[in-house]
Amino acid sequence: DDQTKLIWFEVDKKYCEYLCYERSDAFVIGVLNYAMRNGHDIICKAPIGEELYYQITTYLIDAVYKGSKKLYRTKINAEIDSTILTNANAVGTGISCGIDSFHAIVNHYNSKFLKHNITHLAFNNVGSHGEGEKAVKLYNQRRILAINFAKEFKYELVESDSNIHDEIPQNHLLTNTYTSCFAVYCLQKLYSSYYYSSAHSFLEFSLKDNERYDTAFYDLLTLSTFSTKSLQIFSEGATLTRLEKTKKVAEFEPSYKYLNVCTKTADNCNECEKCTRTLLALDAIGKLEPYKSVFNIEHYRK
């Protein structure tokens, strides 16, 4: 809309060699849903990877467009790069310390599938904390929990920051898969596998009127089109219901100390939708008491 905006993404210097400056892949993913919602095409000055370009333009855009009466069929104009980027074979997942996040860790912690065990935890600021100064404050408060968990259990922690959610304001619930994968693709020379914790099961898959709902409803499509020979992104936990995931997480003792599901504050507020939903689930499976250090159990009982 005749505006020039600069979007940046930053990580600690120890990860600078893994930042992908050669391609526009990450930025195409990060703005794609916004472009479809606002009637924009995308022109890239840097090339885009062949596999990613093919899958997005052949499958993803048309499927998402046809599932809605309000979205635009965005066109992407870019040179194609058919080379395969090498990576450090890191296996990552996001660390929010919520139920979905902990389930990914439980499933890939000292498992028999050695190449699939998580090596790196990612704590990203790409929209889940909100926008503006309030988001910066919440991000800095929440990151302490991620730092402490990674240190205690000897994971590499990849902290990232970006202004994408400020410069291109989007409802995080409606765009989270895209903006989260933006962060993954900015570091595509680090990861060979990445577990994106799914908020909805495969059984709930839907593209109908998708502009109104959580993008997690069609992660099965999105993450398959964002996956390539060198970077596989999995919809982690999508075969289970939230209650089933909660049961597995409740057997993981570190969660008693670190579980954080709140949407409003750095600590569990006990009253938002996610806090009350989690408390009710823990109560239903007889696991309230172990979480007394992270929830106000007496407040819940009253």
Side-chain angles (χ1 to χ4, degrees), residues 23-158:
R23 293 178 176 174
S24 58
D25 298 3
F27 294 89
V28 168
I29 290 172
V31 303
L32 178 57
N33 195 261
Y34 178 88
M36 295 185 70
R37 289 174 180 274
N38 293 277
H40 295 301
D41 293 322
I42 299 172
I43 299 173
C44 305
K45 292 187 177 181
I48 186 171
E50 181 176 6
E51 276 187 274
L52 184 67
Y53 182 83
Y54 170 77
Q55 289 166 184
I56 288 177
T57 57
T58 306
Y59 299 106
L60 181 61
I61 291 174
D62 269 11
V64 174
Y65 167 76
K66 289 179 178 177
S68 168
K69 295 178 181 178
K70 296 184 177 181
L71 297 182
Y72 172 71
R73 187 187 258 133
T74 292
K75 295 179 283 294
I76 301 173
N77 185 339
E79 291 183 15
I80 294 175
D81 182 355
S82 58
T83 61
I84 296 177
L85 293 177
T86 58
N87 60 60
N89 289 314
V91 180
T93 193
I95 176 68
S96 69
C97 291
I99 291 294
D100 296 329
S101 169
F102 266 129
H103 184 268
I105 294 170
V106 170
N107 259 10
H108 304 92
Y109 178 74
N110 288 336
S111 77
K112 63 181 179 180
F113 304 106
L114 300 182
K115 290 184 179 180
H116 289 271
N117 283 328
I118 291 168
T119 60
H120 291 65
L121 299 177
F123 189 74
N124 304 315
N125 187 24
V126 290
S128 64
H129 311 291
E131 296 86 33
E133 290 301 315
K134 182 180 177 181
V136 173
K137 182 179 178 180
L138 191 57
Y139 167 75
N140 285 318
Q141 290 173 336
R142 286 174 170 171
R143 65 187 284 268
I144 302 302
L145 202 62
I147 291 169
N148 291 340
F149 179 84
K151 185 177 180 180
E152 182 174 347
F153 294 96
K154 297 178 173 53
Y155 284 106
E156 290 287 330
L157 180 65
V158 185

Side-chain angles (χ1 to χ4, degrees), residues 98-104 106-107 237 240-256 259 261 277-288 290-291:
I99 291 294
D100 296 329
S101 169
F102 266 129
H103 184 268
V106 170
N107 259 10
L240 304 176
T241 64
R242 181 168 295 275
L243 184 61
E244 289 171 327
K245 284 188 275 191
T246 303
K247 286 179 180 179
K248 293 186 74 172
V249 170
E251 298 301 320
F252 184 57
E253 288 191 17
S255 70
Y256 303 163
L259 185 67
V261 300
R277 177 176 66 185
T278 305
L279 282 161
L280 184 62
L282 293 172
D283 193 2
I285 62 175
K287 283 286 189 176
L288 266 181
Y291 291 93

